Amino acid sequence: MERLLASVAGLVLLLSGCTSDDEAKGSEPAATTMTTTASGRDGLPGERVEIYPYAGARLAVVGVAAEDTLHVRTGPGVEFDVAFDLQPLATHAVATGHNRSVADGGFWSEITADGRTGWANSSYLLQRGQTTDVTAALFPTPAERAKADSMDDLGRAVARHRASTEPSPRIVVVDGPTVGDLGEITVDVIGLGDDAQSGERLKVFAEPLPARPRFTVRTVEATALCSRGVTEDGLCV
């Protein structure tokens, strides 16, 4: 469904292992330029790739289920020990600018967070862009707003509706659901067909209903998940 430019679009990020691990679940947009150094020259597997995320990029964890964590390892690959974990809504990781392409293991980036350094699969690392209210764009009239018997079903239905033009997006509930005066759930949609924007984070608010279906959409906020960086205005570049 753990956030690249066009010229390496053939680089496929493979998933092997459980959903809580740090491996890719699908392909991401590739980069237009890159250079590599010979495998093993710096004692690490694979090839060094000079490509986004560049040094200093502030990264958010994306596409990691609410009950899971993103494993950050001591090296670029699942054979390395876990150095520490990041939560599904973590937004404070910073790229060092060291990235590697690992055979049969995807694309990995070195990051720092909370004074610690490690490697994470790049398909779970993106930069957050601007947040907009997309309720009217999704449901032009109140009568058209989605309804469901559970917040989980409602969040996934909204995500599918939002990504209806994409062939195979990865839809992951990353927070919630919770129910109080309003129901809330946050869903990541990863795998958008856009070089600049690889996904969206949708926060869905719903009104509880007295009868079935039990929830109807009240508002939907979408945060862009950017592949190559963001402008000062929060636009994907």
Side-chain angles (χ1 to χ4, degrees):
M1 89 270 111
E2 191 203 67
R3 137 225 135 253
L4 300 176
L5 311 172
S7 68
V8 290
L11 180 62
V12 179
L13 304 177
L14 300 175
L15 171 64
S16 60
C18 66
T19 58
S20 64
D21 211 318
D22 41 19
E23 301 197 70
K25 299 180 181 178
S27 299
E28 296 291 341
T32 56
T33 60
M34 75 174 187
T35 58
T36 62
T37 58
S39 175
R41 184 173 295 174
D42 52 8
L44 294 172
E47 295 181 329
R48 182 165 179 170
V49 184
E50 302 298 337
I51 200 174
Y52 181 85
Y54 305 117
R58 190 175 182 89
L59 303 170
V61 174
V62 302
V64 174
E67 67 273 14
D68 290 338
T69 58
L70 176 65
H71 292 338
V72 182
R73 296 181 177 270
T74 57
V78 294
E79 68 272 22
F80 290 91
D81 292 337
V82 175
F84 58 96
D85 288 331
L86 290 175
Q87 296 299 314
L89 298 182
T91 60
H92 62 292
V94 178
T96 68
H98 298 158
N99 307 298
R100 298 191 77 85
S101 172
V102 180
D104 299 326
F107 186 78
W108 292 71
S109 296
E110 188 183 52
I111 59 173
T112 62
D114 301 320
R116 299 170 293 183
T117 301
W119 293 80
N121 193 294
S122 304
S123 63
Y124 294 94
L125 297 168
L126 293 171
Q127 284 193 267
R128 291 190 307 166
Q130 65 180 356
T131 299
T132 56
D133 188 322
V134 296
T135 312
L138 286 169
F139 311 110
T141 67
E144 297 176 82
R145 293 181 183 179
K147 297 177 176 63
D149 282 332
S150 72
M151 281 303 301
D152 187 86
D153 288 344
L154 186 64
R156 293 177 186 276
V158 170
R160 288 192 297 270
H161 184 52
R162 179 68 173 169
S164 59
T165 60
E166 304 298 331
S168 56
R170 181 157 54 97
I171 294 172
V172 184
V173 174
V174 298
D175 190 43
T178 60
V179 178
D181 291 338
L182 293 175
E184 296 183 26
I185 191 169
T186 305
V187 184
D188 282 358
V189 181
I190 307 297
L192 303 183
D194 189 313
D195 287 344
Q197 182 177 337
S198 287
E200 278 189 323
R201 175 161 290 172
L202 303 175
K203 188 160 189 176
V204 180
F205 298 89
E207 296 179 355
L209 300 174
R212 305 184 79 173
R214 296 184 55 225
F215 299 95
T216 184
V217 166
R218 180 172 181 176
T219 58
V220 182
E221 297 174 353
T223 300
L225 301 175
C226 304
S227 309
R228 302 183 307 219
V230 295
T231 67
E232 291 183 356
D233 296 327
L235 301 176
C236 296
V237 298

